Amino acid sequence: MTEGTERPPRYRRILLKMSGEALMGDGDFGHDPSTLRRLADEVRSVHAQGVEQCMVIGGGNIIRGGQAAAQGIEQVTGDYMGMLATVINALAVQSMLEQSGLQTRVLSAIPMAAVCEPYIRRRALRHMEKGRIVICAAGTGNPFFTTDTAAALRAAELGCDALLKATKVDGVYAADPLKHPTAQRFDRLSYHDVLARDLKVMDASAISLARESAIPILVFSFQRPGALLQVLRGEAPHTIITEEAQMPEEA
Ligand code: UDP
């Protein structure tokens, strides 16, 4: 499409969920600087369109509760370790976003006064109104949850019009397309379909929360540069999960 004829973004306020793993790039731990810079570029181009943005970042590139438990650490303690990992990631993302000229605030569900603000809903809303990118850290603040659930929770309470889930593939498939290249891909799904077929998109509590608040979930590939804005304009492949979508017949 030529300049000036692009479609406007379809949403006014979005929540972007990035897993910790996505921040590793091709590595197997920590942060990949070029991936963080890419993320900053994506967020900046959406910000330039006047879309308010908040983010929830996972912690899987550092530690997950389940991994800690497998090493003999109590599950609840492991979960707190996982939540702290998300704060480390939030600070890394904040730094890259600010280097690219964006204003940001990290709001943590576990108060950490020396490092960032506590998560306070009204404050998060005010930051977004002022054009700041809000990075929600420490998940829900409670063990036994995931950052997917935190993403749905924050999207609901912050009045987001859409929850965007960045993944390695361009939507939801009937089976992992990296292992099963012929797996069926869906353009649209209902929340019910995802739950009934146990499709591995987000955990069931996240899907249920999004459903209760009627927040569409858009699953897209972060591998494709420019994807975030293109998905918001309806120009890049993605799967949209809403209440009504008819499940395509099984192949
Ligand atoms: N976690 C938690 N409560 C939350 C969010 C996260 O206990 O509300 C812990 C949990 O142990 C999880 C870890 O933090 O395994 C990292 O989050 P997640 O696995 O969701 O990260 P991602 O897979 O998105 O990188």
Side-chain angles (χ1 to χ4, degrees), residues 17 19-20 58-60 64-65 79 82-83 139-140 142-147:
K17 164 71 209 293
S19 71
R64 290 199 173 92
D79 283 340
M83 285 186 267
T140 63
N142 299 293
F144 303 115
F145 288 95
T146 64
T147 52

Side-chain angles (χ1 to χ4, degrees), residues 18-21 57-64 67 82 85-86 89 147:
M18 288 289 295
S19 71
E21 271 181 13
I57 316 278
N61 56 325
I62 301 175
I63 188 122
R64 290 199 173 92
Q67 280 169 295
T86 73
N89 285 338
T147 52

